[in-house]
Amino acid sequence: MTHVESAHLVELALGNDVPHHDDGAALRHIASCERCSAELDRMTRVVGTARRVEEPDLPVAPPERVWEYIAEEIAGTDTKAAAPPRSDPSNRPGGDGSRRSAPTRKRERRNVFLVLVLVVTLAFTWWRRSRSARSSAGGC
């Protein structure tokens, strides 16, 4: 058998109940192939890490002084640059600036998690393909 496709390894790492016509052969191959086993292990660790991401872990806008410093460095002067507009809570979904409901926060966290997993998966797949294109190693 050839190496297990990255997309199939991602499904296995995510633990999705997506029936695959060749799960048995893929699992046997992974058990005997160092390369596929290591790749599945890495993907599983990435998924585990991504699942532990919480809202406080997400990036936030830097303080105003950071923007001012960057603008001064770019301009090469001591002139204070206008800071980018701050987000207004009333412009968020809901419109009234009130706190979002628990289901909304949970949905937002889930969406952030899914986007994060997608980005990591795409980056990992791109990295593996570019790496395997450079290598001339064949089978196991």
Side-chain angles (χ1 to χ4, degrees), residues 48-127:
T49 301
R51 285 186 172 150
R52 289 188 297 274
V53 170
E54 296 180 2
E55 193 170 351
D57 299 324
L58 300 175
V60 295
E64 241 179 272
R65 63 183 163 72
V66 172
W67 174 251
E68 291 170 358
Y69 177 78
I70 292 170
E72 288 172 13
E73 287 293 313
I74 291 172
T77 65
D78 288 336
T79 307
K80 300 280 185 201
R86 295 210 165 210
S87 65
D88 181 3
S90 63
N91 290 337
R92 291 188 182 144
D96 61 355
S98 62
R99 298 204 72 142
R100 291 169 290 211
S101 67
T104 301
R105 286 191 310 273
K106 185 175 181 179
R107 191 172 35 253
E108 289 172 352
R109 281 193 296 263
R110 186 195 70 221
N111 290 343
V112 167
F113 167 74
L114 291 174
V115 168
L116 180 63
V117 168
L118 177 64
V119 168
V120 168
T121 302
L122 291 173
F124 185 79
T125 302
W126 173 83
W127 174 77

